[in-house]
């Protein structure tokens, strides 16, 4: 079989995105759009070449050094972009040409294009759109074969009516491509070297041009602006969700479930609505996630339950309970069966198995051993205005409600902190720490204060009147 190679055109600025980020780096479900078509290309062809130009170093950096690149210094059109890759390609064989902004094309679509190509000089992938505006139109001859592609800006009113569009995806005979590519002109509305013009040139010389019309139109969607980005993201999201559901994940409402491409989720986990799972998050089996949860780059083991909360860059071990309304910030390792309840924030802390932070607490830079109970309102005061400090709490300790632990502190195992204590010194294992001011009860004073207050209030309302 003839050699098959691929080139991905990705040098354009993407003006219609109105962005400082090169278009092909705009993320779709958590990864640059360019990565999708690159995956599809690499699945069918050897060593794909990416043509970069606008923001070249940024693109190279985020896509990685493992791929081959060609540089188009000046963006003079798709035909000119392809020319830049020619020196790195063999003299003959077949060449797939793809656009960096069509992320929905999968391996199977490219394979079909290659089959349809057979021994044509060139084969273009087309599709029919209800609204073809913005795309090049495929103009067919009376015998039904594709004559040429006309760009929207060069099209006549009648040509604009044509709904069959050029997807920007082609298969070429490399030898013929080398022969015709230098002949492209830039005499058109955009004064660019249009790659599709090559089809006209080849045909004029009697070469056979094929068109593979793909029925499932959204796969050919090209992203030129943010509306198309959102449209493509919705389709990609649906693909991701379907694939997870087929692997045994239940989604109560897939349409309100936002899961990034690289996320992994185990079977029998149930995802409730309004949930976002991002980055490289891995979730085990039998979990209950949501409603209204955001998880970013976290490792969640089995049987974890998280409701109305956020979790970022942390590990949650088996059977942890989080929420509602908790915030687990980066750097946490939460042990088995720990309970993190409502309005609790945890940051850069290790919490041992079975410990409980059920309500209204802050634990920052702390090592909390197993079986510890933090009462409501306990604050680990880790910041003195200049520096952060770390504290540790030994196994089985009980920290009473509304205590402040001023870090750095070492609290021994089985310590007891009385409610309302401000702890400023280490506590030995098994000790009780208490430092509340002694309470005085002044007979009748409460009553007097209340009646005085109501007297003043009455006078104030009178004055107003
Ligand atoms: C292009 C096609 C159009 C087709 C559409 C499909 C041309 C002239 N037009 O139009 O027929 O319907 O794609 O989506 O080919 N690029 C470069 N260097 C350049 C210009 C572009 O590398 O100098 C890259 C871009 O980064 C992009 C791809 O080529 O990934 C397509 O360019 P774009 O400007 O998006 O072309 P369209 O106007 O969409
Ligand atoms: Ca485009």
């Amino acid at each position: 079989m003839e050699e098959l190679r691929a080139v991905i055109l990705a040098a354009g600025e993407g003006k219609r995105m109105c962005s400082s980020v090169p278009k092909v780096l705009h993320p779709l479900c958590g990864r640059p759009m360019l990565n999708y078509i690159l995956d599809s290309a690499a699945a069918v062809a050897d060593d794909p070449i990416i043509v970069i130009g606008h923001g070249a170093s940024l693109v190279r950096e985020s896509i990685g050094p493992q791929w081959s690149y060609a540089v188009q210094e000046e963006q003079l059109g798709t035909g000119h972009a392809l020319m830049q890759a020619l020196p790195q390609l063999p003299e003959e064989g077949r060449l797939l040409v793809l656009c960096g902004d069509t992320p929905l094309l999968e391996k199977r679509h490219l394979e079909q294009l290659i089959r349809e190509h057979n021994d044509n000089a060139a084969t273009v992938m087309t599709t029919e759109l209800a609204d073809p505006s913005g795309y090049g139109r495929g103009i067919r001859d009376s015998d039904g074969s594709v004559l040429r592609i006309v760009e929207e800006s060069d099209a006549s009113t009648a040509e604009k009516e044509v709904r069959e569009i050029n997807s920007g995806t082609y298969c070429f005979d490399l030898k013929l491509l080398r022969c015709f590519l230098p002949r492209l002109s830039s005499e058109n509305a955009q004064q660019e070297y249009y790659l599709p013009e090559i089809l006209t040139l080849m045909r004029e010389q009697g070469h056979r041009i094929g068109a593979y019309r793909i029925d499932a139109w959204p796969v050919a969607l090209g992203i030129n602006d943010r509306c198309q980005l959102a449209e493509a993201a919705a389709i990609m999201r649906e693909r991701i969700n379907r694939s997870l559901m087929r692997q045994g994940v239940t989604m109560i409402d897939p349409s309100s479930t936002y899961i990034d491409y690289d996320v992994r989720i185990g079977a029998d986990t149930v995802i409730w609505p309004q949930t976002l799972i991002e980055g490289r998050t891995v979730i085990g089996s039998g979990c209950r996630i949501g409603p209204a949860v955001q998880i970013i780059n976290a490792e969640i083991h089995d049987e974890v339950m998280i409701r109305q909360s956020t979790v970022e860059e942390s590990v949650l071990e088996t059977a942890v309970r989080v929420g509602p309304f908790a915030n687990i910030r980066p750097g946490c390792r939460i042990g088995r069966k720990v309970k993190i309840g409502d309005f609790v924030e945890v940051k850069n802390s290790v919490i041992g198995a079975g410990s409980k932070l059920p309500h209204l607490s802050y634990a920052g830079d702390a090592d909390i051993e197993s079986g510890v109970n933090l009462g409501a309102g306990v604050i680990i005061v880790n910041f003195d205005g200049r520096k952060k400090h770390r504290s540790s709490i030994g196994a089985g300790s009980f920290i009473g409600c509304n205590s402040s632990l001023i870090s750095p502190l070492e609290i021994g195992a089985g310590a007891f902190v009385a409610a309302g204590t401000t702890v400023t010194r280490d506590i030995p294992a098994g000790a009780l720490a208490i430092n509340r001011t002694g309470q005085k009860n002044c007979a009748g004073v409460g009553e007097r204060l209340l009646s005085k207050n109501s007297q003043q209030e009455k006078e104030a309302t009178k004055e107003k009147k």
Side-chain angles (χ1 to χ4, degrees), residues 43-284:
V44 295
D46 294 328
D47 186 20
I49 298 166
I50 308 163
V51 182
I52 52 176
H54 183 82
S57 49
L58 262 179
V59 178
R60 203 193 288 255
E61 212 173 281
S62 50
I63 304 302
Q66 68 276 36
W67 304 102
S68 299
Y69 296 90
V71 179
Q72 183 193 26
E73 298 289 355
E74 241 187 309
Q75 283 75 62
L76 302 178
T78 46
H80 180 261
L82 182 54
M83 278 179 221
Q84 314 312 308
L86 280 187
Q88 296 179 47
L89 290 165
E91 285 305 312
E92 44 191 73
R94 292 162 304 160
L95 180 70
L96 275 177
V97 177
L98 311 162
C99 289
D101 63 355
T102 54
L104 300 175
L105 282 171
E106 292 176 294
K107 177 187 172 199
R108 60 199 168 102
H109 307 120
L110 302 184
E111 283 170 342
Q112 189 58 28
L113 173 67
I114 296 159
R115 273 195 292 274
E116 301 275 337
H117 175 69
N118 204 5
D119 58 357
N120 291 337
T123 309
V124 54
M125 186 191 284
T126 67
T127 191
E128 205 154 298
L129 295 189
D131 174 14
S133 50
Y135 291 90
R137 312 293 206 279
I139 308 300
R140 288 190 181 247
D141 200 356
S142 49
D143 69 1
S145 62
V146 165
L147 262 182
R148 62 197 171 91
I149 305 289
V150 56
E151 291 307 304
E152 166 119 345
S153 45
D154 301 296
S156 66
T157 317
E159 286 168 336
K160 281 185 185 154
E161 294 294 309
V162 172
R163 286 171 44 213
E164 184 176 13
I165 62 106
N166 168 24
S167 72
T169 309
Y170 321 80
C171 191
F172 287 107
D173 176 287
L174 246 174
K175 207 164 153 195
L176 287 171
L177 180 79
R178 283 185 181 284
C179 168
F180 282 92
L181 206 48
R183 302 190 198 170
L184 294 180
S185 84
S186 58
E187 283 163 22
N188 50 52
Q190 300 186 67
Q191 301 195 313
E192 285 186 356
Y193 295 93
Y194 290 163
L195 179 57
E197 194 201 341
I198 204 169
L199 306 179
T200 314
L201 300 178
M202 286 174 160
R203 203 183 143 103
E204 280 169 1
Q205 294 299 312
H207 295 289
R208 201 169 70 221
I209 308 301
Y212 160 43
R213 180 150 67 183
I214 188 163
D215 289 332
W217 76 264
V219 302
L221 182 75
I223 299 177
N224 293 327
D225 60 28
R226 310 244 183 186
C227 299
Q228 288 163 329
L229 180 68
E231 211 177 322
I235 295 166
M236 189 59 77
R237 225 165 18 238
E238 201 178 308
R239 280 189 192 169
I240 293 169
N241 287 355
R242 279 175 182 278
S243 147
L244 286 167
M245 288 188 278
R246 285 194 197 104
Q247 292 165 45
V249 176
T250 292
M251 291 181 194
I252 303 297
D253 178 17
S255 70
S256 77
T257 303
Y258 304 79
I259 301 182
D260 278 352
Y261 182 86
D262 289 314
V263 169
R264 299 288 168 261
I265 304 179
D268 291 325
T269 283
V270 180
I271 315 282
W272 287 73
Q274 299 300 340
T275 291
L276 290 79
I277 306 176
E278 300 175 43
R280 302 195 164 271
T281 296
V282 178
I283 297 179

Side-chain angles (χ1 to χ4, degrees), residues 351-367:
I351 301 182
S355 286
K356 292 192 173 76
L357 292 74
H359 7 243
L360 302 157
S361 286
Y362 172 63
D365 305 307
D367 297 298

